[in-house]
Amino acid sequence: MGEDKKNNIVEAALKLFEEQGYHQTKVSDIVREAGVAQGTFYLYFQSKEDLFRSIAEACLEEISEALKHGPHAPCQNNEVYYWMIQRSLTVYYHNRAILSIMYRNGIASQEIRDISQAFYHEMMLIIKEHLKEWGGCPDYSEEQLEIAAYSKIGMVEMVAYQWFVVQGHGPEYIDSIAQVIVDMDSMEVSEE
Amino acid sequence: MGEDKKNNIVEAALKLFEEQGYHQTKVSDIVREAGVAQGTFYLYFQSKEDLFRSIAEACLEEISEALKHGPHAPCQNNEVYYWMIQRSLTVYYHNRAILSIMYRNGIASQEIRDISQAFYHEMMLIIKEHLKEWGGCPDYSEEQLEIAAYSKIGMVEMVAYQWFVVQGHGPEYIDSIAQVIVDMDSMEVSEE
Amino acid sequence: MGEDKKNNIVEAALKLFEEQGYHQTKVSDIVREAGVAQGTFYLYFQSKEDLFRSIAEACLEEISEALKHGPHAPCQNNEVYYWMIQRSLTVYYHNRAILSIMYRNGIASQEIRDISQAFYHEMMLIIKEHLKEWGGCPDYSEEQLEIAAYSKIGMVEMVAYQWFVVQGHGPEYIDSIAQVIVDMDSMEVSEE
Amino acid sequence: MGEDKKNNIVEAALKLFEEQGYHQTKVSDIVREAGVAQGTFYLYFQSKEDLFRSIAEACLEEISEALKHGPHAPCQNNEVYYWMIQRSLTVYYHNRAILSIMYRNGIASQEIRDISQAFYHEMMLIIKEHLKEWGGCPDYSEEQLEIAAYSKIGMVEMVAYQWFVVQGHGPEYIDSIAQVIVDMDSMEVSEE
DNA sequence: GATGAATGAGTTTTCATTCAT
DNA sequence: CATGAATGAAAACTCATTCAT
């Protein structure tokens, strides 16, 4: 019962944050959309920022959880790479609402900044491990591996944002995008 | 004289937006930092958002301007690629303040969103042209080229943000980061 | 059972009103401290103010009750005076919690103001009677007796508040305080 | 100009606090009464409590200032005593608004409590000095002098509150009240 | 009797913007 | 051009009280 109302609030907030942005969305908008009273909001969240933090945390955790687990069957070479890209895109596609919110609303506060930063750091560590396991960069220093990892994250995030959020394409693009990203890398070298 | 004050306001705003974010920075903070009166602000800018838009526009233009022009000497293969990455990193390094502001403050309004989107679109077109000239992807469709271009942008932006803004490293990293990004791509293929 | 809960509520309220004041204490604080549900409060009290009124009334009644009855053995001169002071101090000591609350929380509402005023009026009448019986002021008008009575009340209240509440001293001070007050009056005259 | 508005706010607040009490008076009431905009209030005071503190501080300081200075001509015996009582009553009469506010509104916060306590302590020290100079209580310990001082304060405060605030009498009562208080003390002794 | 989730009217507070000087 | 006191609409948040279970 209580969880129902809390859920309504979260759903309403997600919808409105995505549509109009965090700062443009008033608590009164959220409760109207959720069909609850003003006070009910503060029964479940300490403040508007607390709600945003809670949403951000949950979604970022979902993303990192999804990327944490490697491919089911062992695979080699850039199959891992392909898997990683494809998997990331899928996760981003399903979380395109929050991705949009994080991208478009930036850092609402110091606390959100820390959460966001911790998320990227964790993502980077996961990717770095994948890169090591995969063995594609044998003589890279830790620092170089980190640069490589961050670049992968940025790549996927930007393309996902442009394709799924800005242009509004559906999941049918996931495979072809992944293919382009992986092929592109190969091609660059086949040039040499 | 007047331009002096306008400049002071812009400098103060850049500093404060970077330190505390757009929404957290009050006009009264900006004018105090700039050493001008409250009303003076509105002699030079129509609104707080107008100031942000003006700053964003100028900086994004500077970035796109810097990337618009190809390498001075003709070069081949992934030399162009290396040049592009290195050039982007340099530009991002010098504009790390605004990069940080755009990253951390997201889309302050519909108008800013449009400016930001237009910027990414223009960037994408520039990169796409570079990719075509370079000839690295002969049989790519326009769409595939766009995906490739966006992925480059995301890659550079994320690494630059993490290295220059979050970790605070200096320009001495530009070359080694560029090297990692380019090499990494090569390596991926040398694996096959 | 029911009375148990009511008692818990009263005890909790007394504690919290004393610690943090009436206006700073929320009904939710009281019920949490009392270990009952929010709704239970309204089974026993019509409102938060009703609770305060109930507490204030009970305590003020206790105080006036204690002062109503003269000394057990007939006594003369300022023995009555000493008895009165000492008795008042004792009563105030035992009701220092409510004294503190009344002092520190002032008049929560028109109704409380009336109760408080009625209390002081009643006290004044009691003291006035004591003064008359004692015969210390033979040719005083009613008005002059009232002034004298109020001054006694203020004297005891202030000293009790400062000694028992602010400085936290114990009942062992009652006698010496009474002595000072009575002696002081005498001394003033012995000067002449 | 600016001070004009600030003054209006203070006047309005004094009036309303006295009429309806601190907690019953809304900032919106104050600004309406003062004829200024809502925001103007926060130009001069950080919060409603800040205003109350500011008023309380100023008035308590005025009272203690008025009592600090002894009688102009040297005088002996209980002439000093009479002077002190009369002077206190006069001061209390002129500050009956704030006296009423402090009495009726109690301690709005921890900070106000501290201010109030500091005021009583200072008053007590002043009275104690007067008592010493006067020499009426030669062999009193410091502690006994403090009890005596607090009892004087309570006496005057209560009578002033009852006469000037509750019953609304005018300054013509000051002398007769002072007379009663001083005479009463004498009489008590003349009885023995 | 007892519960505690839900309410919503009511308050404080903020801050971009204006305009008389 | 420059000022800065004044504005007031708009927002977040509070909490005593209710009522269905």
Side-chain angles (χ1 to χ4, degrees), chain C residues 75-117:
Chain C
C75 55
Q76 291 174 332
N77 298 338
N78 59 6
E79 274 179 46
V80 179
Y81 184 40
Y82 181 86
W83 168 85
M84 208 162 62
I85 300 296
Q86 198 226 35
R87 181 74 170 257
S88 306
L89 285 167
T90 305
V91 170
Y92 273 130
Y93 174 74
H94 286 115
N95 291 279
R96 63 195 182 283
I98 187 66
L99 174 65
S100 158
I101 290 170
M102 297 302 287
Y103 237 79
R104 297 224 249 242
N105 294 287
I107 311 305
S109 71
Q110 186 61 46
E111 198 187 357
I112 304 283
R113 178 193 305 195
D114 295 343
I115 292 168
S116 172
Q117 195 45 47

Side-chain angles (χ1 to χ4, degrees), chain A residues 2 5 37 39-40 43-44:
Chain A
K5 303 231 175 219
T40 307
L43 206 56
Y44 296 108

Side-chain angles (χ1 to χ4, degrees), chain D residues 5 37 39-40 44:
Chain D
K5 303 231 174 217
T40 307
Y44 296 108

Side-chain angles (χ1 to χ4, degrees), chain C residues 67 84 88 122-133 145 148-150 152-153:
Chain C
L67 292 182
M84 208 162 62
S88 306
E122 191 188 341
M123 290 277 287
M124 182 274 287
L125 291 178
I126 295 169
I127 310 285
K128 193 167 74 170
E129 285 319 300
H130 282 312
L131 290 176
K132 279 183 183 170
E133 284 169 27
L145 284 168
Y150 277 127
K152 301 299 178 203
I153 296 170

Side-chain angles (χ1 to χ4, degrees), chain C residues 132-168:
Chain C
K132 279 183 183 170
E133 284 169 27
W134 167 30
C137 326
D139 47 1
Y140 265 31
S141 69
E142 286 297 302
E143 206 165 45
Q144 287 174 313
L145 284 168
E146 290 182 8
I147 291 172
Y150 277 127
S151 78
K152 301 299 178 203
I153 296 170
M155 202 160 67
V156 171
E157 216 173 77
M158 176 63 84
V159 176
Y161 179 72
Q162 294 293 336
W163 241 247
F164 302 140
V165 176
V166 175
Q167 302 190 21

Side-chain angles (χ1 to χ4, degrees), chain B residues 1 3-4 26 67 100 109 126 130 140 144 162 167:
Chain B
M1 195 108 301
E3 284 307 296
D4 243 26
K26 304 178 215 168
L67 292 182
S100 158
S109 71
I126 295 169
H130 282 312
Y140 265 30
Q144 286 173 313
Q162 294 293 336
Q167 302 191 18

